[in-house]
């Protein structure tokens, strides 16, 4: 059986949860104690030297990391990964956009707001992160004004990759009210069969802030 090592309140991990639930693929979810340092243990680093979640592990011992690569692997042969080479390249294009132009700003702003103490020096970076994040959201909104899904007529891997951190952008201080097409797309994703929302992180976030404050 496919095993996912993940953190349920991580958008990168939620991409996999959403896809697996929508595909109805049996899987084992191992909740990783990220805040407790589990990704830095010798056992974890032996499997993923980059020390991050998510990580997919197969029964034969093969391991795959990087959320969007895992999404493509899990979706291979299903309608979620376009069979047409051009459509598939379009999906990959948006997935690379997510990793380079979207996640580093929107997810990092969310992390700083939710997981660092109020006086963290990292908060000085929030304005720059929000400017760059809004640039990404504007690009998405413009695209979605003329198409229901990122790769055209069908919902698929690009939508799944872009959904979690866009839906959670408010946690990082992003107002989405200026992006009507984006808001409609978020609602369409939530209405797809088998949709599951990313759990709230409030409890862990409080714990993490308390721990960081005590350690400092
Ligand atoms: N590009 C990676 C990013 C993974 C990533 O940054 N994961 C975070 C949680 S969302 C993590 O494991 N952070 C722990 C750390 O960096 O030590 C992916 O898409 O899988």
């Amino acid at each position: 059986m496919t095993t996912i090592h993940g953190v349920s309140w991580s958008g990168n991990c939620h991409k996999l949860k959403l896809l697996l639930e929508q595909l109805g693929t049996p899987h084992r979810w191992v909740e990783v104690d990220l805040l407790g340092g589990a990704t830095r243990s010798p056992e974890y680093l032996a499997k993923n030297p980059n020390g991050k979640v998510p990580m997919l592990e197969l029964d034969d011992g093969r391991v795959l990391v990087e959320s969007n690569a895992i999404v493509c692997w899990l979706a291979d042969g299903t309608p979620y990964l376009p069979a047409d080479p051009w459509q598939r390249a379009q999906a990959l294009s948006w997935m690379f956009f997510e990793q380079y132009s979207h996640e580093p700003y929107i997810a990092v702003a969310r992390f700083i707001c939710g997981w660092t103490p109020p006086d963290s020096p990292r908060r000085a970076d929030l304005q720059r992160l929000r400017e760059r994040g809004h640039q990404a959201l504007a690009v998405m909104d413009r695209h979605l004004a003329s198409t229901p899904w990122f790769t055209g007529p069908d919902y698929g891997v690009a939508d799944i990759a872009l959904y979690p951190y866009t839906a959670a952008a408010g946690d990082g201080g992003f107002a989405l009210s200026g992006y009507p097409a984006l808001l409609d797309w978020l609602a369409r994703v939530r209405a797809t069969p088998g949709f599951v929302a990313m759990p709230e992180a409030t409890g862990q976030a409080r714990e993490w802030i308390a721990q960081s404050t005590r350690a400092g």
Side-chain angles (χ1 to χ4, degrees):
M1 186 183 286
T2 299
T3 299
I4 304 293
H5 301 262
V7 173
S8 53
W9 41 263
S10 149
N12 283 317
C13 298
H14 187 68
K15 297 170 191 176
L16 316 189
K17 187 67 182 168
L18 177 55
L19 175 63
L20 286 161
E21 293 297 330
Q22 296 198 299
L23 287 172
T25 305
H27 61 280
R28 187 166 48 227
W29 183 276
V30 176
E31 188 72 16
V32 174
D33 182 13
L34 185 73
L35 305 182
T39 54
R40 302 288 151 189
S41 71
E43 297 76 27
Y44 196 89
L45 290 171
K47 292 177 182 170
N48 178 7
N50 202 24
K52 291 185 190 293
V53 288
M55 172 171 78
L56 171 145
E57 187 173 15
L58 301 177
D59 286 342
D60 63 10
R62 284 182 293 166
V63 161
L64 184 62
V65 296
E66 291 297 327
S67 59
N68 288 349
I70 299 171
V71 165
C72 288
W73 161 263
L74 292 171
D76 195 38
T78 78
Y80 293 105
L81 186 69
D84 173 74
W86 180 252
Q87 289 290 102
R88 195 166 55 241
Q90 293 294 324
L92 291 174
S93 172
W94 281 110
M95 293 167 95
F96 290 128
F97 164 88
E98 188 266 344
Q99 285 284 286
Y100 192 75
S101 302
H102 179 283
E103 192 257 17
Y105 307 114
I106 296 174
V108 173
R110 174 178 181 250
F111 177 80
I112 290 173
C113 289
W115 281 263
T116 66
D119 58 351
S120 166
R122 294 192 66 183
R123 288 177 185 254
D125 205 22
L126 277 174
Q127 189 183 342
R128 183 189 71 89
L129 295 172
R130 287 183 183 140
E131 281 168 14
R132 301 297 293 270
H134 273 296
Q135 286 170 14
L137 295 170
V139 168
M140 293 166 70
D141 190 62
R142 214 171 305 132
H143 181 66
L144 289 165
S146 59
T147 178
W149 304 112
F150 274 93
T151 41
D154 299 313
Y155 170 73
V157 288
D159 302 286
I160 290 167
L162 280 159
Y163 178 80
Y165 285 123
T166 306
D171 296 349
F174 293 90
L176 297 183
S177 52
Y179 305 110
L182 191 64
L183 288 172
D184 287 350
W185 167 77
L186 288 172
R188 278 195 294 279
V189 175
R190 284 195 291 271
T192 53
F195 173 83
V196 283
M198 182 161 64
E200 290 289 328
T202 323
Q204 287 101 330
R206 276 209 214 93
E207 186 188 320
W208 174 257
I209 291 168
Q211 278 175 9
S212 311
T213 308
R214 274 199 298 275

